[in-house]
Amino acid sequence: MPCGLQARKQSVPAMATHASTDHFERFGIPRSFDMDLGVLDSRYRELQRTVHPDRFASAGEAERRLSMQQTSAINEGYQTLKDPLRRGRHLLELSGYNLGDEPHTTRDTAFLMEQMELRESLGEVRGNSDPFAALENIMDRIAEDIVTLQSQLRENFERASVADLEAAASALMKMQFYRRLQEEVMDLEAALEDELV
Amino acid sequence: MALLQISEPGQSTAPHQHRLAAGIDLGTTNSLVASVRSGTADTLPDAEGRHLLPSVVRYQAGQAPVVGVAALAAAVTDPLNTIASIKRLMGRGIEDVRHIGTSLPYEFVPGSSGMPLLHTAAGNLSPVEVSAEILRTLKNRAEQTLGGELQGVVITVPAYFDDAQRQATRDAGRLAGLNVMRLLNEPTAAAVAYGLDKGSEGIIAIYDLGGGTFDISVLRLNRGVFEVMSTAGDSALGGDDMDRAVAGWLMQQTGIEDDAGHGQLRHLLQEARSAKEALTTETSTPVCIERDDGTRWEGELSREVLNQLVAPLVEKTLLPCRRALRDAGVRAADIGTVVMVGGSTRVPLVRERVAAFFDAEPMVDIDPDKVVAVGAAIQADILAGNKPDDEMLLLDVIPLSLGIETMGGLTEKIIPRNTTIPTARAQEFTTFKDGQTAMSLHVVQGERELVENCRSLARFELHDIPPMVAGAARIRVTFQVDADGLLNVTAEEETQGVKSSIEVKPSYGLSDGEIETMLRDSMEYAEDDRDARRLREEQVEADRVLEALRAALKIDGEELLSAGEREVIDAAALSLEAARSGRDYRAIKAAIAAVEQACSGYVERRMNTSISKAMAGHAVDEFKSQ
C-alpha cells in the first residue's frame, strides 16, 4: 500500500480544469437533453479528422502534444454527450447545480420496492430453467424504466426551474441505480455464458 | 504580374518529397516489412525472394547475431542460444516467465529491472534487445529495397497487449534505430489492408490468431473512419499452443518424456508444426520422429485427431469473442463481415468454428500472414505525410482498464477498457500526514478488483509536494494515454501550483537510462558513430520543423499573427537554420526547442481555427439541408 495516499473523489475529465467546459459548445450542438445521435456522430468524426494525432504524426512536438490533448477532450466530450446519464449530469453542472449536492439516497418507496424486486429476480436467475430469457426479461424492464426517466428528464431540463433541476438530479440518481443493475446483469450473463463452454 | 518564386539556398523547391516509410509486423513466429510503392502496399522480400522472416535470433560468442532462416536451422542443434517466440516475453516479468517459461527451452536470469534476461553464449540479453535484432534485419531489408533511409515506421502489436508489452515494443524499435511513428493494433491494420473503409459501412469483426497471441476486435466503419468499438483477446494463446498440443500427443506415441533434451523437444515441436500445416489441405499426414538414442518412430496424424487436440484452444478463443461483442453492445447477428488474420487461421477447425459462431463466411482473400504488415504500410505512408488528402482515420481503444492501488490492495479504475484513445483522466489526491512532501502511486492494468490479480505497470513517486497540514494539499494526477496506447502520468499540486516531480519505476520495463546504455553498447552505436548519428537525427528533425513551419506560415501566417509575433517566430527560425548548418547536435536541439516555444501560441491558434472551420462547415451544410 502506497504510504499516505487518499483518493479525494472520483476521477474527473482531465480537461475540465475550468467548470466552464461546455461539451455542447465544443460540438456545436444546442444545449438540450435531447440528442440527435446521428448529428453527434458526424460532428465527432469531423472534429477527429481535424485534430487527431494521425494528422500531426510529422509535426513538431508541441503540435503533437496539443493534438493529443484536443483529441482527448473531444473523446471525453463525445462519451459525455452520447450517454444519457453523463449528458444529464453535464447539463446539471452547466446549469450551475452543485453536483456535490446530488442526493445519494431516495425516499421514493415505489422506486425502492421495484429495485428490491429486480434484485430479487436477478438473484433467482441461476435457478431458472432458461436463465438467459430471465436476464433478458430483467433487461427489458430496466430499459422501460429508463425510457420513462428520460422523458421526465427531457421535461425537467426544458423547464429548468430550481425544482426541475432537483427533480432531474433525483432522476439521474435513479438512472445510476439502473446502470449498476444493468452492469450486474451483463456480468452475470458473461459468467453464465463462460460456464457453458 | 506574377513574382518569380526563388527558394532559399539548400531549400528544396519540390512542394513535397516522398518520405520513405514502412510497416512492420513483428510476429511471434514470423515478421514482415511492407511499404507503399507506386501507390500499392506490398511486403518486401529478402535477396532470396522470401517475404517471411522467421522471428528467430541465434547468438554466438564473439559473432554478430544471425536472424531468420539461418537461425531457425540451428534451433535443434543449438537450442539455448537460438531464441524463438521472443514476443511472448515482451514486457513480461520473471514471475510470468516461470509460468510461460516451462514451454520455452531457454535459461533465464533475473534482470535488474524486473525483466527476465536470456542467458546466451553472447551474454545475458533482454527480450527488447532480441526483438530489436529482428527489427534491425527488417530495417536493413527495407532500406536496401527502397534505396534510402527510412523516415518512419509503424510497428504492429496485438490489440490485447498491455502497456508494458507496448512499451517494450516501442523500446525495441528505438534500439533498432527506427523512428516509430505509431504502434498500430494488428486487427486494425488488417481492416486497413482490406480497404474496408472504401465503400463499405457497418460492423465488422477481425479474428486474429497468430503464433502466440489472439485478438478479436469489433469495428464500426463509416466514411473512411475505422472506429474500434471493443477489443478482447489473450496475449498468451496462439498457434504455438497448437504445436505443443500436437507435440504432447507425439510424446505419448513415441514414449519421449518431458525431461528429454532441449534439442529433442525442439525437434518434436518442429515436426508437430509441419504436421499441423500439412493438415490444412490433407486429411492425414505421415510423421517421422528421430529419438535421441537414434531410433525412429513413424506414424500418422489425421485431421480428426488434430481437431480433437486443438479444439479446446479454439473454444478458448470464443470466450473473448463473446466479451468483445458484449462490450461493443452488439450481437453476433449484427456482424456483417468477419476477417481472418494470422497464420493459425489456416487451421480448418478454426475457420469452421468462427464461421459458425458469427454465422458468416470469414474473409480470407489476403494472405493472413501478410495482411497485418500491408495495413501497417498503408498507415505508415499516411503518417509520413505522403497522402495528405486521404480521408482514412483510425480510432482505436485501450484494451485493458487502467487503475491505481488504493487502501487494502484494491484497484480503483481510472480509465475503463475500450475507451477511445488518446484519452486523459485526472484524479485528485491529498496528503495523509502533516508536512508530507512525497507520495507513491502504484499503477496497474486489468479488470480484476484485487491489485494482485492485475498487472503491475509502474510505481510513481511524487516529490516536492509543499509541506501542509494533512488533507490540505490537492495533488492532481493526470493519466494520459496517447494514440499508441501508452500511459503517461503527470502531477501538480493545485493550491500552490507546484509541479511535482515524478520518478517512474516500470515494473517490467526498461528505464530510459537503461535504453540509453543499450544504445551505447550496441555495435551500431560505436563510440565514434554516436555523435555523428545524433547530429544526423537532429538535422533531420530541424528540417522537418522548418518545413512544417514554412508550410504553415504560407497558409495562415498573415491571418493569425501580428507583425511582432511574426518577427519572434522568424528570428527563432533563422537561429535554427544557423544551428542546422553547424556540427553541434545540442545547439540544434536547443534551437528546435526555441522555435517550438516561439510558435506555441501560433500552433494553438491554428488548431482552434481549424476546429472552428470544421464546425462552421457543418452548420452551413445543415442549414442548407433544412
Side-chain angles (χ1 to χ4, degrees), chain B residues 22-27 31-33 87 90 131-132 134-136 138 150 152-158 161 165-186 189 372-373 375-377 379-380 383 483-484:
Chain B
I24 294 177
D25 175 2
L26 184 60
S31 297
L32 295 103
V33 60
K87 190 172 178 179
M90 291 291 271
S131 293
I134 298 167
L135 289 173
R136 213 169 276 142
L138 293 172
L150 282 179
V153 297
V154 168
I155 302 179
T156 60
V157 289
F161 253 21
Q165 292 169 305
R166 282 168 200 269
Q167 190 62 58
T169 307
R170 213 172 213 294
D171 290 345
R174 196 172 148 204
L175 204 53
L178 291 164
N179 168 29
V180 184
M181 297 187 288
R182 181 77 74 241
L183 296 179
L184 177 62
N185 287 334
E186 288 162 9
V372 166
Q379 168 81 334
L383 294 186
D484 292 328

Side-chain angles (χ1 to χ4, degrees), chain A residues 1-18 24-29 39 41-76 78-80 82 86 132 136 185-197, chain B residues 19 181-182 220 222-225 227 315 319 322 326 331 379 382-385 388 390-395 404-409 412-414 420-433 436 438-442 471-474 476 478 480-483 544-545 548 596 603-604 606-608 610-611 614-615 618-619 622:
Chain A
M1 179 61 219
C3 152
L5 185 142
Q6 270 183 16
R8 195 178 264 257
K9 59 176 183 187
Q10 273 292 311
S11 62
V12 290
M15 294 305 140
T17 37
H18 312 289
F24 292 97
E25 196 186 319
R26 192 188 287 283
F27 280 74
I29 290 175
V39 171
D41 275 1
S42 80
R43 297 264 164 112
Y44 173 62
R45 281 193 294 271
E46 203 58 48
L47 283 169
Q48 284 280 12
R49 271 188 217 287
T50 315
V51 301
H52 195 273
D54 284 3
R55 298 273 176 233
F56 297 90
S58 312
E61 205 193 320
E63 228 166 328
R64 286 202 307 256
R65 194 171 49 239
L66 190 64
S67 140
M68 180 175 72
Q69 288 167 352
Q70 291 278 5
T71 312
S72 299
I74 285 159
N75 281 330
E76 179 68 32
Y78 179 61
Q79 294 306 326
T80 304
K82 199 169 73 167
R86 289 180 66 177
F132 291 103
E136 209 168 311
V185 171
M186 289 208 285
D187 285 350
L188 183 57
E189 192 178 24
L192 287 169
E193 275 185 355
D194 291 355
E195 283 165 23
L196 284 181
V197 182
Chain B
R19 294 193 183 93
M181 297 187 288
R182 181 77 74 241
R220 184 165 65 169
N222 196 312
R223 295 176 207 190
V225 179
E227 188 184 347
E315 290 305 312
L319 284 178
R322 284 194 189 89
R326 228 176 359 247
R331 291 169 188 280
Q379 168 81 334
I382 292 174
L383 294 186
D390 202 279
E391 287 284 278
M392 187 182 97
L393 192 61
L394 310 181
L395 305 180
I404 50 159
E405 178 174 347
T406 60
M407 297 282 183
E412 178 164 330
K413 281 183 188 158
I414 305 273
T420 307
I421 51 174
T423 186
R425 299 289 294 179
Q427 176 105 16
E428 281 185 347
F429 297 97
T430 190
T431 45
F432 194 59
K433 288 181 190 154
Q436 186 180 335
M439 60 169 67
S440 77
L441 288 179
H442 183 201
R474 284 172 150 262
R476 185 185 175 82
T478 305
Q480 172 79 60
V481 179
D482 66 16
R544 210 165 52 82
V545 167
E596 299 216 318
V603 163
E604 204 165 333
R606 292 199 84 212
M607 203 162 303
N608 289 337
S610 46
I611 291 172
M615 287 300 91
H618 254 301
E622 277 147 29

